Amino acid sequence: MPLRFPFGRRLQIILCGIAALVIVLGLAAANIIRAPKTVKAAPTRQPFCTTRPQLCTETTDAWNYAGQYTGHDEPSLLFYSNKAGSGNSNLYQLTLPKDPPTPPAQDGSGGTWNFQLHPAFWFGMALCDNQSAPNPGATCTPDSDSNIFTGTDSSKPNYMGNTPGTAFMEMQFYPPNWGNVGTGVSCGPDNTQWCAALNIDSFSQNANTGALNNSACLNAAGEEYVNYAIITKSGHSQAPADPLRQTLATFETTADTLEMNSGDALSVDMHDTAAGFQVVITDHTTGQTGSMTASIANGFGHPLYQPSASSCTDQPYAFHPMFSTSSPSTRVLWAAHSYNVAYSDEIGHFEFCDSITGNGKCANSGATDPPPGGNDGDEAPCFTLPVGGTAQQLTGCVGTDGDFDGPEYQRTWPGTDPSTDATLHASPIIFTSPLFNGNKNYSQVAFETNLPRIEGADTSSNNACQRHVYNPSDPSPGTGCINPPNGASFYPIYTTGTMNGACVWQEGGAQIPGTTNTFGGTSAAEYGGLQEQIYPAAGNTTQGIYETFHNTLGNNPCPA
């Protein structure tokens, strides 16, 4: 697998991948399959994580088999409990953030709206996928801790490489106001509303051998393949969610799409059903409800792991939660993060650019990359689009911000400047700790960010984190891994406050009004030190990598 490319080559590949979105969305409608069927990999088809890398789970190695970078920054909250049900049943209360009254300005002096801070945020959970890494083909028993394998000795039954195939579910929420760039989904008639989609990411490799799936499947669905379904009021998918069957309609909003307004108060209920994992979103402000079930009837499926085959075989599949509990032992063994039940933001995907070329590159750098160091190469692809609900247009770029200098890494978050918060900064995302089994609280919380994963010299132009501890090892593991990263003047943290008498989490700075706990008040204090994670590796062995900064608290400081 190619691991290192010159920076200009990475930019070119990402740009081509986003441009291929037009091809993907132009596919003709496909029928929901009823039985396994052999399909040919169409040369014009582009995998989901090629066209939408910012919506894909960050992997251990964020370069896919074709050399594209698929990673992004994910500051996260993890929830732990050893009680049955904590790994497969979550109920959150969520208040969608509002944009400030001041629109963004091309010179960076205006407001910072949600689309600039994050193309998406999500609630997550590990699911079974018996065709995914780390051990495709092994039986995955839904809702069961029999799927936990943590040993590092490959001769023992508990060897981690024996973990059945795992998928990671991200219940994603998409902000309004700048075309449909970043998600491919435009919410509301004038793009001023929120919408949401059920994403399920899997990884088409056997970790014990290192073998990827056959080239036909990789060309059609990618190394990291994604089932995708927009949340609808009827609970029926608009088109197949299956990565091999997605069509234009998979990503289009319709009259059936659940669309939400900034500031709406929601309940997000995620649990298992006989038909598959299900999410139900209730908008208490509007009275509307939407849902989606990861079922065969809704067109969910996966490519079979057949690395020696000459063609790709697709199969319907109903996804179910993988574990009964949520602990450090229930992590996804192909992902950069160590999570199972988690909340995460996806940041680092907006930069200003004053003008763009015909092929979508930045021609004249903007406020975040002023001369003499402008056009530093991590901006593309770039677009000029209207800011929803206003008369103005904005020119900017949505590539991965590899040098950490975009507005997401400045004091543009809520709670960073009390003098300008009300006029220039969005309100915070506010959510409760999840309850499981309807009314049970988690016993512990952990803060985690995958900064070490994206601070390597292969992905960042001004950071050089040596993250490989062994197999392979760097000369000085841990050197250059810093929080916040070089280029950032600020990194968002999680604090607690109260709403309607209940404890809530909020994301931004340490000065959000009503804050009750800042957990040290800085990203370095909150996210803690380097965490070495052990992964199964080719040859029935293991490798150790610094993928995250991690800080587990001794309790849950914000019970719901």
Side-chain angles (χ1 to χ4, degrees):
M1 181 188 304
L3 298 181
R4 298 176 184 270
F5 276 75
F7 192 78
R9 173 61 174 160
R10 292 206 309 272
L11 181 148
Q12 181 182 8
I13 292 172
I14 295 171
L15 175 62
C16 293
I18 298 292
L21 175 61
V22 176
I23 299 174
V24 176
L25 298 183
L27 294 175
N31 294 323
I32 298 176
I33 53 178
R34 303 296 180 185
K37 181 179 180 181
T38 299
V39 297
K40 294 182 179 179
T44 58
R45 188 185 186 96
Q46 294 294 314
F48 185 101
C49 291
T50 298
T51 58
R52 296 173 177 84
Q54 54 270 59
L55 299 186
C56 293
T57 300
E58 179 81 348
T59 59
T60 304
D61 185 349
W63 296 88
N64 72 13
Y65 81 104
Q68 291 115 335
Y69 178 59
T70 61
H72 42 258
D73 195 354
E74 295 177 327
S76 305
L77 265 174
L78 287 60
F79 299 95
Y80 296 145
S81 173
N82 61 5
K83 304 296 184 183
S86 61
N88 56 35
S89 168
N90 290 164
L91 174 62
Y92 294 87
Q93 305 300 323
L94 167 68
T95 300
L96 294 175
K98 296 180 180 180
D99 292 319
T102 308
Q106 194 64 52
D107 63 1
S109 64
T112 301
W113 285 17
N114 277 282
F115 71 84
Q116 298 171 281
L117 296 177
H118 29 224
F121 65 84
W122 51 257
F123 301 110
M125 182 186 294
L127 308 182
C128 284
D129 181 353
N130 61 18
Q131 300 302 304
S132 177
N135 190 21
T139 299
C140 184
T141 303
D143 307 301
S144 173
D145 284 353
S146 66
N147 297 312
I148 297 176
F149 294 80
T150 58
T152 57
D153 184 343
S154 61
S155 67
K156 304 295 184 181
N158 194 41
Y159 176 56
M160 61 172 50
N162 295 330
T163 302
T166 311
F168 191 68
M169 182 283 304
E170 298 183 357
M171 180 55 251
Q172 297 183 342
F173 291 82
Y174 306 133
N177 291 318
W178 199 53
N180 60 1
V181 172
T183 64
V185 178
S186 179
C187 310
D190 56 359
N191 195 29
T192 58
Q193 291 180 286
W194 293 74
C195 52
L198 177 59
N199 279 39
I200 300 176
D201 296 54
S202 305
F203 201 68
S204 201
Q205 182 183 44
N206 187 318
N208 300 296
T209 65
L212 297 170
N213 208 350
N214 63 74
S215 60
C217 285
L218 296 177
N219 288 334
E223 182 176 347
E224 182 181 355
Y225 56 89
V226 180
N227 277 263
Y228 184 93
I230 292 174
I231 304 301
T232 62
K233 289 176 282 189
S234 69
H236 301 303
S237 62
Q238 301 171 167
D242 186 328
L244 294 173
R245 303 294 173 183
Q246 292 164 357
T247 71
L248 172 64
T250 303
F251 306 99
E252 286 185 326
T253 58
T254 69
D256 193 29
T257 301
L258 178 67
E259 293 174 333
M260 300 154 284
N261 302 310
S262 296
D264 281 3
L266 315 177
S267 295
V268 183
D269 187 358
M270 306 190 300
H271 53 267
D272 202 11
T273 73
F277 170 83
Q278 183 181 74
V279 57
V280 179
I281 300 175
T282 302
D283 189 328
H284 298 288
T285 304
T286 65
Q288 293 190 320
T289 299
S291 66
M292 186 54 57
T293 304
S295 64
I296 292 174
N298 276 327
F300 284 75
H302 54 199
L304 296 183
Y305 179 75
Q306 298 173 329
S308 300
S310 58
S311 60
C312 187
T313 301
D314 190 30
Q315 186 178 60
Y317 187 76
F319 290 85
H320 294 272
M322 185 167 183
F323 300 106
S324 173
T325 63
S326 179
S327 73
S329 297
T330 62
R331 67 187 180 97
V332 178
L333 290 175
W334 52 262
H337 274 282
S338 67
Y339 40 45
N340 174 10
V341 173
Y343 164 88
S344 184
D345 203 356
E346 299 193 359
I347 69 174
H349 284 286
F350 183 87
E351 290 200 72
F352 292 99
C353 175
D354 289 346
S355 64
I356 58 178
T357 65
N359 60 357
K361 296 183 180 181
C362 186
N364 184 22
S365 61
T368 51
D369 287 314
N375 291 3
D376 54 23
D378 64 350
E379 300 96 346
C382 307
F383 307 88
T384 299
L385 293 165
V387 177
T390 73
Q392 73 178 71
Q393 289 190 325
L394 188 71
T395 300
C397 311
V398 296
T400 299
D401 186 4
D403 59 354
F404 303 97
D405 58 2
E408 312 91 310
Y409 299 106
Q410 300 173 27
R411 295 189 175 276
T412 55
W413 290 79
T416 55
D417 185 351
S419 68
T420 59
D421 267 355
T423 56
L424 299 182
H425 300 163
S427 63
I429 301 168
I430 298 174
F431 60 98
T432 63
S433 293
L435 293 172
F436 63 92
N437 295 340
N439 60 1
K440 304 296 183 184
N441 269 292
Y442 286 78
S443 58
Q444 287 183 281
V445 167
F447 302 107
E448 186 172 284
T449 173
N450 64 322
L451 279 174
R453 173 64 202 93
I454 59 176
E455 288 178 344
D458 57 345
T459 57
S460 177
S461 61
N462 59 343
N463 289 270
C465 173
Q466 297 188 36
R467 63 191 188 95
H468 295 97
V469 182
Y470 70 91
N471 193 24
S473 60
D474 286 320
S476 182
T479 300
C481 307
I482 56 176
N483 181 11
N486 290 325
S489 62
F490 175 78
Y491 193 82
I493 61 173
Y494 296 98
T495 60
T496 57
T498 57
M499 175 176 283
N500 300 323
C503 185
V504 294
W505 294 99
Q506 48 200 20
E507 182 185 3
Q511 301 179 74
I512 297 172
T515 294
T516 55
N517 195 335
T518 65
F519 303 97
T522 68
S523 60
E526 178 167 288
Y527 294 104
L530 287 168
Q531 179 188 47
E532 179 185 352
Q533 295 187 53
I534 311 301
Y535 294 89
N540 291 305
T541 185
T542 61
Q543 59 177 331
I545 312 176
Y546 290 133
E547 296 280 58
T548 58
F549 293 107
H550 181 100
N551 177 22
T552 299
L553 304 183
N555 66 334
N556 177 356
C558 192

